[in-house]
Amino acid sequence: MFSVLSYGRLVARAVLGGLSQTDSRDYSLVTASCGFGKDFRKGILKKGMCYGDDACFVARHRTADVLGVADGVGGWRDYGVDPSQFSGTLMRTCERLVKEGRFVPSNPIGILTTSYSELLQNKVPLLGSSTACLIVLDRASHRLHTANLGDSGFLVVRGGEVVHRSDEQQHYFNTPFQLSIAPPEAEGAVLSDSPDAADSSSFDVQLGDIILTATDGLFDNMPDYMILQELKKLKNSNYESVQQTARSIAEQAHELAYDPNYMSPFAQFACDNGLNVRGGKPDDITVLLSIVAEYTD
């Protein structure tokens, strides 16, 4: 009987010990942005959160932190359409939905779907196409929920290693999945994917985890090992430190993009597809750098 009681006490202590270790604190994201359009001076935003044809947003609600990036498809410029209008409006609509509380943290695809639907219902058609990547941190559950359509994306880094990443979605080389609105006469001739086609994932995060969300202008020019090297410069969760590191990453990607002798990830991918390409890939670059921290009002 003594041994049974002793065992029971040990189990009770173990259970209580496990409960006491549960982190009841809310988490949040400390996020900084940096980027530039290939035709604009570094670090200069166009109207709203736009770098060239890229766009982004960072929003807070009482239950979650939400952020996103979008890359407007530049080919629309050949038809007299400003590609940044579509990506910028898509991200601003997502931001508004979050601030109004019209979202479920575990369903970032829902944010993208509602935002895209609003664009489709505009009285004046907003022509264009864009990739999109959304990240939602549920403060109480400490879970990150993601949705990625196309070749923008994210990395989650813990202890100097990539522990989670988005999957790139391409129809074929250099042709990513994208949301589109085409004029009636071009419907069916323009690539257009459903928000439901976005790759989604959900996983737990820890205090100190680093989340890098960016458009393809970053990932096409910087391989993981270079990004991880830059992230070593992030010493704490102060906004100033996060901002400085975001800028350092964006600036290095910019320099590499214009190096004709550099074998960039994009050039390597092109070679894998039978093309003789070398050098960086000049492009708009948007970087959102976040670190998971304890939530404070």
Side-chain angles (χ1 to χ4, degrees), residues 180-248:
S180 300
I181 298 179
E185 63 273 15
E187 287 183 4
V190 173
L191 277 175
S192 183
D193 298 287
S194 166
D196 289 334
D199 180 64
S200 62
S201 62
S202 296
F203 46 86
D204 293 333
V205 291
Q206 300 176 11
L207 290 175
D209 281 358
I210 299 169
I211 304 164
L212 177 69
T213 312
T215 54
D216 66 326
L218 173 70
F219 299 116
D220 282 345
N221 287 298
M222 286 186 73
D224 284 1
Y225 80 90
M226 286 188 184
I227 293 173
L228 293 175
Q229 211 165 24
E230 290 298 311
L231 289 178
K232 289 179 182 178
K233 299 176 181 177
L234 184 56
K235 301 301 182 185
N236 55 59
S237 60
N238 292 337
Y239 175 80
E240 291 75 16
S241 178
V242 178
Q243 178 66 69
Q244 186 176 3
T245 305
R247 177 171 291 277
S248 177

Side-chain angles (χ1 to χ4, degrees), residues 24-273:
S24 61
R25 296 172 294 179
D26 283 358
Y27 288 1
S28 66
L29 297 177
V30 178
T31 301
S33 70
C34 189
F36 52 89
K38 59 183 177 182
D39 299 322
F40 297 84
R41 189 158 56 91
K42 277 188 293 183
I44 299 299
L45 284 166
K46 292 174 68 178
K47 183 180 179 182
M49 293 279 282
C50 294
Y51 298 100
D53 298 335
D54 287 356
C56 61
F57 78 94
V58 179
R60 279 191 160 193
H61 186 259
R62 58 183 177 79
T63 60
D65 289 354
V66 187
L67 54 88
V69 297
D71 180 1
V73 176
W76 283 96
R77 192 171 280 107
D78 296 337
Y79 301 94
V81 175
D82 179 354
S84 70
Q85 291 297 310
F86 188 92
S87 56
T89 304
L90 182 70
M91 292 292 96
R92 287 192 297 273
T93 305
C94 288
E95 179 179 14
R96 175 174 53 78
L97 293 173
V98 171
K99 289 181 175 179
E100 292 174 352
R102 295 169 55 194
F103 75 105
V104 177
S106 61
N107 185 23
I109 289 180
I111 304 174
L112 201 56
T113 299
T114 305
S115 180
Y116 180 52
S117 295
E118 287 198 14
L119 267 62
L120 288 170
Q121 293 165 12
N122 281 345
K123 292 181 179 179
V124 179
L126 180 65
L127 304 181
S129 305
S130 175
T131 66
C133 181
L134 299 186
I135 304 290
V136 182
L137 172 65
D138 186 315
R139 291 211 190 102
S141 70
H142 308 159
R143 286 185 70 77
L144 201 72
H145 306 282
T146 74
N148 185 62
L149 185 79
D151 58 2
S152 294
F154 69 88
L155 301 175
V156 178
V157 177
R158 180 182 303 150
E161 297 182 353
V162 176
V163 293
H164 298 284
R165 72 182 314 140
S166 55
D167 290 327
E168 187 175 288
Q169 295 176 312
Q170 297 265 7
H171 287 285
Y172 41 87
F173 173 69
N174 206 28
T175 307
F177 282 32
Q178 54 201 264
L179 301 176
S180 300
I181 298 179
E185 63 273 15
E187 287 183 4
V190 173
L191 277 175
S192 183
D193 298 287
S194 166
D196 289 334
D199 180 64
S200 62
S201 62
S202 296
F203 46 86
D204 293 333
V205 291
Q206 300 176 11
L207 290 175
D209 281 358
I210 299 169
I211 304 164
L212 177 69
T213 312
T215 54
D216 66 326
L218 173 70
F219 299 116
D220 282 345
N221 287 298
M222 286 186 73
D224 284 1
Y225 80 90
M226 286 188 184
I227 293 173
L228 293 175
Q229 211 165 24
E230 290 298 311
L231 289 178
K232 289 179 182 178
K233 299 176 181 177
L234 184 56
K235 301 301 182 185
N236 55 59
S237 60
N238 292 337
Y239 175 80
E240 291 75 16
S241 178
V242 178
Q243 178 66 69
Q244 186 176 3
T245 305
R247 177 171 291 277
S248 177
I249 291 170
E251 288 182 344
Q252 183 167 346
H254 173 71
E255 292 174 6
L256 292 169
Y258 291 91
D259 183 343
N261 299 312
Y262 167 58
M263 181 54 76
S264 64
F266 177 81
Q268 185 60 60
F269 188 34
C271 290
D272 292 343
N273 281 269

